[in-house]
Structure formats: structure tokens, C-alpha cells
Amino acid sequence: MLKGLDPLLSPELLSTLRAMGHGDEIAIVDGNYPGVEHARRLIRLDGHHLIPVLNAVLSVLPIDDFVPEAIFRSTVKAERDKLDPVHEEMIDCCARHEPHRQVVPLIGPDFYGRVKAAHALIQTSEPRLYANIILRKGVIYPKEPGAQAAAGVDPFVY
């Protein structure tokens, strides 16, 4: 356990999130998603639902603000604008962490193709269908000159 980190952030997941670079994407998917077939790197979080995992990931992952679209959700079949309750929950969770970003719907083949190209995939045990989301990693901006780093430690001063 670590202070200030959601316990859903397993060692493997933290390592993966840290290893990702700007522009890399990570998918968080439901229990029915073909994770083994689509993942370049598969992280299993069995026993956990999607929304708590999404919330944990967003608590540490910066979202890309260099592009107009950086958060994507799956759709109900080809119904791009249909929102199931899980989609509304995903949008609400993202809005709490990234209030200026929209969650963009991607229809099946477009969503699947993007997941297959993603840096990693987190498979949850979410039982609801179409409960899948992709996050594009952004950057952590340097502090203003003269600003004190957290706990008075500047990791870039040797």
C-alpha cells in the first residue's frame, strides 16, 4: 500500500501507466471484451467494476491536451449517440477528473482497432455490456520557475 494512491492501482498497473509516454493509449474494458485477443499488454483486474478502475487510473494519469479528442468510449452496436447507464457513469467520472474533455463515442470496428493499437488493456469484471473506454496519456507540465516541488523535494536538482 502507498499513501495517496487508490489500492486498485496494482504494481503492474502503476508500472504500465508510468512506462507509457505522451500519446500512448490505454483501454479499460468490461468482462466480456476479447482482451487476450486485442491486448498488446494485458492487465487483469478481476473482481472489479469499470468505474472504480477508471476513477483510479484518472487519479494519476494526465490526459492529452495536445489533441482535440483524447477519451473514447464504445457504443451500443452502431448506435453512436445511445447512452447506456454505464456510459453516463463513465462520462461523469471523466468529467470529475477532466472537466474540459469530451468522451467521444467510437463505433465497434473503430473502437476495436484503436484498442488493438493501444499500449495496454485493463480487463475488469464489469458485467455491463459496452462498458469500454480508451484514455490517451498527456504530459505533466513543469512547475513555474521558483515554485517549490511537493514536500520540498525537486527531483531534477542533483
Side-chain angles (χ1 to χ4, degrees):
M1 300 293 291
L2 296 170
K3 289 194 264 181
L5 289 179
D6 190 307
L8 287 176
L9 298 171
S10 68
E12 181 184 13
L13 178 51
L14 281 172
S15 175
T16 299
L17 293 171
R18 179 64 178 93
M20 290 171 63
H22 174 241
D24 283 342
E25 295 182 347
I26 190 162
I28 308 171
V29 300
D30 63 41
N32 287 298
Y33 194 91
V36 171
E37 294 298 320
H38 287 194
R40 291 173 58 201
R41 292 167 190 85
L42 179 62
I43 300 166
R44 298 202 56 104
L45 289 181
D46 297 304
H48 299 288
H49 289 245
L50 184 121
I51 300 302
V53 173
L54 175 61
N55 187 60
V57 170
L58 286 172
S59 75
V60 297
L61 185 76
I63 297 299
D64 195 349
D65 61 0
F66 285 34
V67 294
E69 299 174 340
I71 304 173
F72 308 92
R73 69 166 177 87
S74 61
T75 61
V76 177
K77 300 180 181 171
E79 298 179 55
R80 179 178 161 81
D81 297 321
K82 182 175 186 202
L83 289 174
D84 276 359
V86 71
H87 297 131
E88 292 171 354
E89 292 173 35
M90 289 189 302
I91 291 166
D92 290 345
C93 181
C94 290
R96 284 192 301 278
H97 292 276
E98 297 288 334
H100 303 294
R101 302 305 311 214
Q102 297 297 312
V103 177
V104 178
L106 287 180
I107 294 172
D110 296 329
F111 189 87
Y112 277 10
R114 198 158 195 140
V115 171
K116 288 177 181 179
H119 180 84
L121 182 151
I122 304 167
Q123 181 113 42
T124 69
S125 291
E126 177 63 57
R128 295 178 287 182
L129 302 178
Y130 310 107
N132 309 302
I133 193 162
I134 300 168
L135 306 171
R136 182 179 167 107
K137 186 176 183 181
V139 301
I140 303 289
Y141 290 95
K143 296 200 179 299
E144 294 295 321
Q148 193 70 10
V153 176
D154 186 345
F156 299 106
V157 174
Y158 298 96

